[in-house]
Amino acid sequence: MVLEKQMALLRRYVGASAVALFVLLLLLFTCNLNMASASSGGVMGGSFFNSDSESSSSESYTSDSERVMVHHVNDAPSPDAELAKGSHGGVPMLFLIFILGMFLVGFYKDTKGNSVTVFKIQVAMLGGMGSSIQRDLTRIAETADTSSRDGVSCLLTETIQSLDRHHGYCVAGYLSVDLKRSKEDGEKCYNQLSNEERAKFDEETLVNLNNTEKKSTRTQSDVFSNEYSMFDVKEIKEERKIFEEEKLLNGFGNEYIVVTILVAAKGAHKLPNINVAEDLKKALQKLRTLLSSKLLAGKVLWTPQNEDDTLSKRKLLEDYPQLAKGMKSFLVKKHE
């Protein structure tokens, strides 16, 4: 009788231990799954709306001073003017109409001159061998001078060049263009887009913004992969072709990289819509022409930043629906 009770207790103990072990393993599996699916993000760039406003106000002050000087020079009435005034009463009215017309033209030019175009270009790329673009973007972010307009223009140019080199991995592209009438509205739009994109990252592991906000979290695999960041261009082209063909034969992959470029430029500008791979190439090259003289702000965001992380198809569908929507038609038209 006693032996039976002991055996029953033992069975209960073993059963409870098995349940506890199962729950523990389930928790560990869930934790590892969340860690694996977490998306790291990289951000680099700079904003120069304020510095541009200062230079614009300085130019405006100079031109206003010149107008005042001209006005004072012409203040002293001449005898000929008094004579014309007495004999031709319609001349002052024509003069006022002329001044009003000049004012309206100047007002229109000032309004047009203060307009700002905000671009957002997003590119979805296949993972795997495509992770070499992660090394490119990490290198650019770690060495870029984001305190100057030229430095930000340079990092944007290098990013566009890297995307061009990895053109074969692109599976989707998306473009949005917002035209704002003032620099204040343009800055608000730019910051809003930036905040929306940064909110999609679970963690920002590399940040270089205006040389004032810097953060870098490196993993062991990052250190290892950087030893092989200098690669032979011919070999990479061959590997790219093989990899792309395998991916297309096997259907869509399940790991992606998303690169987002945000640019605010002075004036009103347009870029071609992105429906196929060639459209993406043309849009990036057209954007590049605006960087030298029109740049007000620029930023590059990409995920995942750590090569250990992955961006799954589900995450792509949730956070980047525009890219996911155009992915199939993008690849179909690309290989027709």
Side-chain angles (χ1 to χ4, degrees):
M1 190 72 177
V2 175
L3 184 60
E4 290 179 358
K5 288 182 178 180
Q6 288 179 345
M7 290 297 294
L9 289 172
L10 181 61
R11 282 195 296 270
R12 289 179 183 176
Y13 175 77
V14 172
S17 299
V19 172
L21 181 61
F22 175 76
V23 172
L24 180 61
L25 290 174
L26 184 62
L27 289 172
L28 287 173
F29 176 77
T30 304
C31 180
N32 288 333
L33 185 63
N34 289 335
M35 290 179 65
S37 62
S39 58
S40 59
V43 188
M44 57 178 167
S47 177
F48 307 97
F49 283 97
N50 293 334
S51 59
D52 189 80
S53 297
E54 290 173 3
S55 62
S56 298
S57 62
S58 175
E59 293 173 2
S60 176
Y61 176 78
T62 304
S63 60
D64 287 344
S65 300
E66 291 173 355
R67 291 193 197 103
V68 170
M69 290 175 64
V70 172
H71 175 72
H72 283 307
V73 168
N74 294 329
D75 265 352
S78 66
D80 293 336
E82 289 293 332
L83 181 62
K85 194 175 188 180
S87 57
H88 301 284
V91 172
M93 182 59 68
L94 292 174
F95 181 74
L96 288 175
I97 293 173
F98 174 76
I99 293 296
L100 180 60
M102 292 295 293
F103 173 79
L104 291 174
V105 170
F107 179 78
Y108 172 76
K109 286 184 177 180
D110 287 342
T111 303
K112 188 176 180 181
N114 287 330
S115 63
V116 173
T117 307
V118 181
F119 300 102
K120 180 173 81 169
I121 295 182
Q122 282 187 324
V123 184
M125 311 178 73
L126 293 173
M129 279 295 298
S131 63
S132 58
I133 194 172
Q134 290 172 291
R135 294 192 290 273
D136 275 3
L137 295 174
T138 296
R139 173 186 56 80
I140 295 169
E142 290 177 340
T143 58
D145 174 19
T146 56
S147 64
S148 68
R149 197 188 305 263
D150 290 340
V152 173
S153 175
C154 183
L155 78 83
L156 289 168
T157 300
E158 287 191 64
T159 299
I160 292 172
Q161 290 173 343
S162 182
L163 287 171
D164 190 49
R165 286 196 300 270
H166 296 85
H167 191 67
Y169 299 118
C170 299
V171 294
Y174 172 76
L175 167 69
S176 71
V177 180
D178 290 298
L179 178 61
K180 302 299 179 182
R181 292 187 176 182
S182 67
K183 289 177 182 176
E184 291 77 13
D185 291 340
E187 186 174 12
K188 287 179 183 177
C189 177
Y190 174 84
N191 290 335
Q192 181 181 349
L193 291 174
S194 175
N195 292 335
E196 288 174 357
E197 294 304 319
R198 295 180 73 174
K200 296 174 184 177
F201 302 156
D202 294 318
E203 181 185 8
E204 290 184 347
T205 49
L206 180 58
V207 180
N208 183 359
L209 296 174
N210 283 102
N211 273 11
T212 57
E213 184 182 348
K214 281 195 173 185
K215 179 172 66 173
S216 178
T217 304
R218 300 173 67 100
T219 62
Q220 188 67 26
S221 64
D222 292 330
V223 177
F224 178 77
S225 64
N226 281 339
E227 295 177 4
Y228 300 92
S229 59
M230 300 302 293
F231 45 80
D232 182 74
V233 175
K234 184 177 179 181
E235 182 181 351
I236 285 296
K237 284 183 178 179
E238 293 175 355
E239 290 177 352
R240 177 197 307 170
K241 184 178 179 181
I242 296 171
F243 176 76
E244 184 181 356
E245 289 175 352
E246 288 177 350
K247 280 287 186 181
L248 291 171
L249 288 173
N250 296 330
F252 295 109
N254 195 42
E255 295 181 5
Y256 301 92
I257 300 166
V258 173
V259 181
T260 303
I261 298 177
L262 297 178
V263 169
K266 291 183 284 187
H269 308 282
K270 291 183 179 180
L271 294 180
N273 292 328
I274 299 175
N275 297 312
V276 295
E278 283 304 311
D279 293 339
L280 173 62
K281 200 168 186 177
K282 290 176 182 178
L284 288 171
Q285 294 306 318
K286 178 71 180 296
L287 180 66
R288 186 177 172 182
T289 62
L290 303 176
L291 300 179
S292 59
S293 59
K294 305 295 184 180
L295 183 67
L296 287 171
K299 193 171 291 182
V300 178
L301 309 94
W302 73 100
T303 182
Q305 191 273 322
N306 284 334
E307 292 182 41
D308 291 338
D309 298 338
T310 60
L311 183 68
S312 66
K313 195 168 187 177
R314 177 177 295 181
K315 186 77 171 173
L316 184 73
L317 288 168
E318 292 175 353
D319 292 344
Y320 305 95
Q322 298 93 343
L323 284 173
K325 184 178 179 181
M327 186 179 297
K328 189 172 182 179
S329 61
F330 192 91
L331 278 179
V332 168
K333 291 179 181 179
K334 178 180 175 182
H335 292 274
E336 281 180 349

